[in-house]
Amino acid sequence: MLIFANLKSIEACKMKIDNISENIDEIGDNHVSSSAKNPLRKDAFEKTDEEKIALIQQDVQNILTTLGLDLEDDSLKGTPLRVAKMFVNESFAGLHPKRKPKASVFQNNYKYGEMLVEKNITVYSTCEHHLLPIVGRAHVAYISNGTVVGLSKMNRIVDYYAKRPQVQERLTMQIVAELQNALGTEDVACVIDAKHLCVNSRGIRDIESSTVTSEFGGKFKDKSIKREFLDYINMDTEF
Ligand SMILES: [Zn+2]
């Protein structure tokens, strides 16, 4: 009877795991975002970067060993440490608030009252469902209400939020929220057009498709202002 009960609970457990993994697959392949904030643990910043690198190095080593790779091989020997450093210092560096770009704003002394667009900002991010690259371009715009930011600041903000495990919708919203905060205005917009390698290189393997997301704050919700912004994005930049 006891064995039967155990078998039953194992069976129930298996079913539960199957359900969970079905759910995970569904979320992953549909790229559904569940929160405007990256889901972080409370203890996310208790370990130092060095401690994280040491732990991740061990984890990557385990993955590669499990896959059957010989880590004594010259070519693979340095991979676990290399990947661990890359995760902490590069690919996911934007998880740590200490790396947030300083929001230095200036008075709009020249009284420029039109829209300012910073377009074709390169986006390198990572899909949080598959840990594969998202590569594309962000176009950011704002209308000053008295303060302005340095142009490269917009690139830095994009880069900071991109360097996290991400979903593109969340990234778009975070960029807009950050600039709204820094500039003290709702009138900020962002469009991102990006390729997700989890779609292009695996699964459906659609090399051509890209994903466009947008967030229009304040005046950018107005049809003609939105149109103006989108027209600027489409303009060819000649040198
Ligand atoms: Zn993905």
Side-chain angles (χ1 to χ4, degrees), residues 34-41 44 95 128 164-166 170 174:
S34 56
S35 165
K37 284 186 177 163
N38 295 77
L40 282 175
R41 293 164 54 91
L95 283 172
E128 73 181 8
R164 299 173 173 196
Q166 274 290 18
R170 184 200 292 131
Q174 286 173 332

Side-chain angles (χ1 to χ4, degrees), residues 55-97:
L55 286 167
I56 295 171
Q57 178 184 5
Q58 197 59 51
D59 295 333
V60 175
Q61 194 171 311
N62 287 340
I63 291 173
L64 296 178
T65 306
T66 305
L67 286 170
L69 289 162
D70 175 12
L71 296 189
E72 297 299 310
D73 185 272
D74 266 354
S75 172
L76 288 172
K77 217 163 34 190
T79 302
L81 179 59
R82 203 175 295 121
V83 172
K85 280 183 177 171
M86 179 183 72
F87 275 10
V88 173
N89 296 331
E90 295 177 272
S91 308
F92 306 134
L95 283 172
H96 206 300

Side-chain angles (χ1 to χ4, degrees), residues 22-39:
E22 253 169 46
N23 255 342
I24 289 170
D25 281 348
E26 220 166 87
I27 288 174
D29 279 341
N30 291 329
H31 291 92
V32 179
S33 141
S34 56
S35 165
K37 284 186 177 163
N38 295 77

Side-chain angles (χ1 to χ4, degrees), residues 81-125:
L81 179 59
R82 203 175 295 121
V83 172
K85 280 183 177 171
M86 179 183 72
F87 275 10
V88 173
N89 296 331
E90 295 177 272
S91 308
F92 306 134
L95 283 172
H96 206 300
K98 73 180 177 188
R99 297 197 184 85
K100 187 168 164 172
K102 294 223 163 39
S104 38
V105 290
F106 311 95
Q107 283 307 303
N108 182 11
N109 287 333
Y110 26 88
K111 302 284 176 239
Y112 176 76
E114 296 295 326
M115 177 187 310
L116 186 146
V117 182
E118 184 77 3
K119 64 179 198 171
N120 294 327
I121 299 172
T122 306
V123 172
Y124 281 116
S125 191

Side-chain angles (χ1 to χ4, degrees), residues 28 31 127-131 196 198-199 202:
H31 291 92
C127 152
E128 73 181 8
H129 301 130
H130 299 94
L131 297 187
H196 292 235
C198 56
V199 175
R202 56 157 293 287

